[in-house]
Amino acid sequence: MAQVDSADVRVLVAEDDESLGEVLARGLREQGYVVDLVPDGETAASYLRFYRYEVAVVDWRMPRLSGLDLVQRLRRGGTVNGSTPVLMLTARDTPADRIAGLDAGADDYLVKPFDFGELLARLRALQRRPPVSQSPRMKIGELEFDPAAREVLLHGERPALTGTELGILEILIRRSPGVADRRSIAQHVWDDEADAFGSNTIDVHLARLRSKLAGAGVRIETVRGVGYRIVPL
């Protein structure tokens, strides 16, 4: 069986059954895939927010966040993987279940137990689908944001931003010249929005972000009682 180029094909496997997850990850790695294995939906959501994947294999029934809810969140946008093909794994095999999974945004559906060779064939079929057209880059001051790659460039180079700072900057740029309210920032950047919304966490990260963007030709303004916005100088 032909292997894939592991430098190009990165797969997320979200499966709460530890033994099955390990079998899938090992089998995919043997076929040349680069695999990230996670045990629950919330962890999968975090990985999908910060890393680019060619395809995701997602179990329907997972703790913390179901595969169905994960796919729905993914398709709502706001991450680099918003259009990533998703193969849903589940023991639910009624027509109504398959319809629910596909309507949620899954691209394909494989019922457990399944043959590993069939899973590989379905992954290859998903990889052959033409990519979704790329969104145009956005520019504010000297900052340039690539929505498809979820990448920020300053004078042609990537500023040294943490994942949290990048998430905050992303929503500010996407909303510009409008205002991003604090709740929207918390929902976009943190898995548990209450961790940030009810504290000064957002303000601390914004202060660091302002410092790192000195010389970028932009200003992050505080709109009192509402939120924040980024504007060119």
Side-chain angles (χ1 to χ4, degrees):
M1 185 178 296
Q3 292 190 334
V4 298
D5 184 349
S6 61
D8 294 329
V9 183
R10 186 171 186 175
V11 178
L12 177 69
V13 175
E15 171 59 66
D16 67 316
D17 183 325
E18 183 177 356
S19 59
L20 177 57
E22 291 292 344
V23 168
L24 289 174
R26 182 171 62 252
L28 290 170
R29 287 169 182 144
E30 288 174 354
Q31 294 300 314
Y33 290 92
V34 175
V35 180
D36 288 335
L37 174 63
V38 297
D40 62 77
E42 284 292 356
T43 305
S46 296
Y47 275 60
L48 287 163
R49 181 177 298 156
F50 295 116
Y51 304 104
R52 176 185 289 278
Y53 294 97
E54 297 297 322
V55 65
V57 179
V58 175
D59 183 39
W60 182 310
R61 307 187 77 170
M62 291 187 292
R64 301 181 67 199
L65 185 71
S66 73
L68 200 67
D69 291 335
L70 173 64
V71 174
Q72 289 175 328
R73 181 187 295 185
L74 181 66
R75 297 308 186 220
R76 285 199 297 266
T79 74
V80 67
N81 294 290
S83 60
T84 296
V86 174
L87 174 62
M88 183 82 76
L89 301 181
T90 181
R92 307 168 70 113
D93 61 353
T94 68
D97 291 329
R98 289 193 291 273
I99 291 170
L102 295 171
D103 281 348
D107 297 273
D108 201 356
Y109 196 98
L110 192 56
V111 177
K112 301 176 182 178
F114 53 84
D115 180 79
F116 185 69
E118 182 181 359
L119 181 140
L120 289 175
R122 289 175 181 264
L123 290 185
R124 290 193 296 270
L126 290 176
Q127 291 172 237
R128 288 195 296 268
R129 292 187 179 183
V132 176
S133 59
Q134 301 292 317
S135 301
R137 293 193 176 203
M138 307 174 193
K139 188 168 184 180
I140 301 177
E142 299 300 320
L143 279 179
E144 190 173 4
F145 175 63
D146 183 344
R150 197 169 177 268
E151 178 182 74
V152 174
L153 297 177
L154 174 57
H155 303 301
E157 298 183 356
R158 298 175 186 170
L161 304 179
T162 65
T164 299
E165 291 163 353
L166 176 59
I168 294 173
L169 182 57
E170 176 183 13
I171 191 170
L172 290 175
I173 292 175
R174 287 181 180 275
R175 296 285 180 88
S176 182
V179 177
D181 62 90
R182 291 177 62 87
R183 183 174 294 280
S184 294
I185 293 173
Q187 290 174 333
H188 179 74
V189 179
W190 281 269
D191 291 331
D192 185 349
E193 64 182 88
D195 290 344
F197 185 65
S199 67
N200 70 338
T201 300
I202 294 176
D203 305 280
V204 170
H205 286 286
L206 274 163
R208 295 172 181 165
L209 185 57
R210 286 185 175 109
S211 176
K212 291 183 179 182
L213 296 182
V218 298
R219 179 174 64 249
I220 298 177
E221 299 179 338
T222 301
V223 181
R224 191 172 301 277
V226 182
Y228 308 88
R229 67 182 169 207
I230 187 169
V231 296
L233 293 176

